[in-house]
Amino acid sequence: MPLRVIFMGTPDFSVPTLRAIAEAGHEIVAVYTQPPRAGGRRGLELTPSPVQHETERLGLEVRTPTSLKSEAEQQAFAALQADVAVVVAYGLLLPKPVLDAPRLGCLNGHASLLPRWRGAAPIQRAIMAGDAETGMMIMKMEEGLDTGPVAMVEKCAIGPDMTAGELHDRLMAQGASLMVEALAQLGINCLTFTPQAAEGVTYARKIDKSETRVDWTRPSGEVHNHIRGLSPFPGAWCEVEIGGRMERLKLLRSTLSDGVGESGGILDDRLTVACGSGAVRLVEVQRAGGRPAAVQEFLRGAKIAKGMKLT
């Protein structure tokens, strides 16, 4: 049965779910997304969110409040008389009057196997922790941070060299189909919810720029997970001497390798780097102001040799 849906989301990750709900024949009565942000080369242009672009393409009403805390915003939300709100990476707090307004509540598409990795950065944190699997979950929202009961789950293996960007794209597609299935079950009153386990709760705090620099004294497995967990954004990085000056180098792909040496030392001409224990071989890097490049291409333009050091 078609439902009256309010969709709430902001980044690229949210777009396939919005599109899938529309294609499934539900009535999307309004789309909430974060306001346009300053962007462009000089940071002076206001750039609408990816969800706003898709909403306008679909010809739907878009709303961009900076907050939902005011009584006026909450009344405007309730006036839509929605059956359900679908929330995927919206980025704003939903107060209790908003959570209670839709007839069937608010469903959230969350990119982890709850209760592990509640919070803002579950994809990056799962890889950085070396998790072997994660998944998408559809849950009913409560006032707590990602604490609501779960209705549906689809697991996803995390490959040993998989980056956060690759996992993002896989979960983005899984989440769209899973949410459409959940809405179909909700529409015929067959969607059931199970409380989250009390054990195994972890929090995926937002990635801070201060933690992005690579610490070569850590074991190779941790360094490798750090690199791939922050790729492509915001990107793990280190410094290296190129042409007589120190330059920041973003590290986008790596793989575990054999080798022993001083932490950060370059062990061969393939850019294998010694860690606190073991080594990683860099596969893809990006110089400041440049584009991503395979290590072989990078080494043709940068004179970096065995015995040099990354810091």
Side-chain angles (χ1 to χ4, degrees), residues 9-12 33-54 56 62-64:
T10 297
D12 287 323
T33 188
Q34 289 201 42
R37 304 296 187 194
R41 183 168 297 179
R42 297 182 180 180
L44 301 176
E45 302 172 13
L46 289 178
T47 303
S49 74
V51 163
Q52 182 168 344
H53 277 298
E54 181 65 12
E56 292 170 350
V62 62
R63 297 183 178 185
T64 59

Side-chain angles (χ1 to χ4, degrees), residues 53 172 287:
H53 277 298
M172 179 171 67
R287 296 177 68 172

Side-chain angles (χ1 to χ4, degrees), residues 126-127 129-134 156-160 228:
I127 293 181
D131 290 2
E133 71 173 1
T134 185
C156 173
I158 302 176
R228 65 196 185 101

Side-chain angles (χ1 to χ4, degrees), residues 197-220:
E199 303 81 27
V201 176
T202 59
Y203 290 94
R205 70 184 188 279
K206 186 178 179 181
I207 303 294
D208 189 273
K209 287 185 178 180
S210 66
E211 62 182 305
T212 56
R213 187 170 191 162
V214 173
D215 179 358
W216 298 106
T217 67
R218 293 164 63 185
S220 57

Side-chain angles (χ1 to χ4, degrees), residues 213-217 223 227 236-242 246-251 254 262-268 270-275 280-283 285 295 298-299 302-311:
R213 187 170 191 162
V214 173
D215 179 358
W216 298 106
T217 67
V223 171
I227 291 169
W237 63 278
C238 65
E239 288 189 333
V240 62
E241 185 177 338
I242 301 177
M246 297 304 290
E247 184 175 314
R248 180 180 289 211
L249 187 66
K250 185 183 285 190
L251 312 179
S254 61
E262 183 184 2
S263 298
I266 298 172
L267 301 177
D268 57 23
R270 301 176 68 200
L271 217 51
T272 301
V273 186
C275 302
V280 297
R281 180 170 60 83
L282 301 181
V283 176
V285 299
V295 157
F298 163 71
L299 290 174
K303 295 181 178 180
I304 297 176
K306 179 180 177 180
M308 295 177 67
K309 191 172 181 181
L310 306 181
T311 60

